[in-house]
Amino acid sequence: DRWNAFTLFLEDGRVRLTNNAAERALRGIALGRKSWLFVGSERGGDRAAFMYSLIATARINDIAPQAWRADVRDKLPNTTASRVPDLLPWNWQTSQRQLAA
């Protein structure tokens, strides 16, 4: 029953032989799962989820999460509330390119 699905990668070069890339992408979530049991409270869990989504968003936008977080940590105290969206990962890369130009 599954032979056609199993041999699909032989007919279509876009189909991967393994799912290693997907497993690597989920590895961080699996490793952090036990750590998240000790966030302390529901509010702590909300904060952890918020930071995890920002870090994942930075990675999706090809930004080094540590560099982004360090830059935001330095800029945030002097940033007005109306300029905070400029520090989000999808806008941060654009602002860095403008500084380089």
Side-chain angles (χ1 to χ4, degrees), residues 20-73:
N20 288 341
E23 289 182 9
R24 275 193 308 274
L26 292 173
R27 184 176 179 168
I29 295 168
L31 291 176
R33 183 177 47 210
K34 287 189 178 181
S35 299
W36 297 336
L37 292 173
F38 303 101
V39 294
S41 65
E42 185 176 344
R43 187 174 178 196
D46 289 341
R47 287 181 183 172
F50 178 76
M51 287 306 297
Y52 185 76
S53 16
L54 284 176
I55 290 168
T57 303
R59 287 183 181 148
I60 289 170
N61 286 287
D62 293 325
I63 296 172
Q66 288 180 324
W68 170 75
R69 282 184 23 222
D71 187 56
V72 168
R73 184 187 61 232

Side-chain angles (χ1 to χ4, degrees), residues 63-94:
I63 296 172
Q66 288 180 324
W68 170 75
R69 282 184 23 222
D71 187 56
V72 168
R73 184 187 61 232
D74 294 341
K75 288 181 179 177
L76 198 56
N78 300 322
T79 303
T80 61
S82 63
R83 302 299 294 172
V84 169
D86 293 339
L87 300 176
L88 294 172
W90 52 88
N91 293 332
W92 183 79
Q93 185 176 18
T94 304

Side-chain angles (χ1 to χ4, degrees), residues 2-23:
R2 299 181 186 163
W3 189 254
N4 289 335
F6 178 69
T7 59
L8 182 63
F9 74 93
L10 296 172
E11 299 166 8
D12 189 352
R14 296 173 295 170
V15 177
R16 299 281 180 162
L17 179 60
T18 66
N19 66 346
N20 288 341
E23 289 182 9

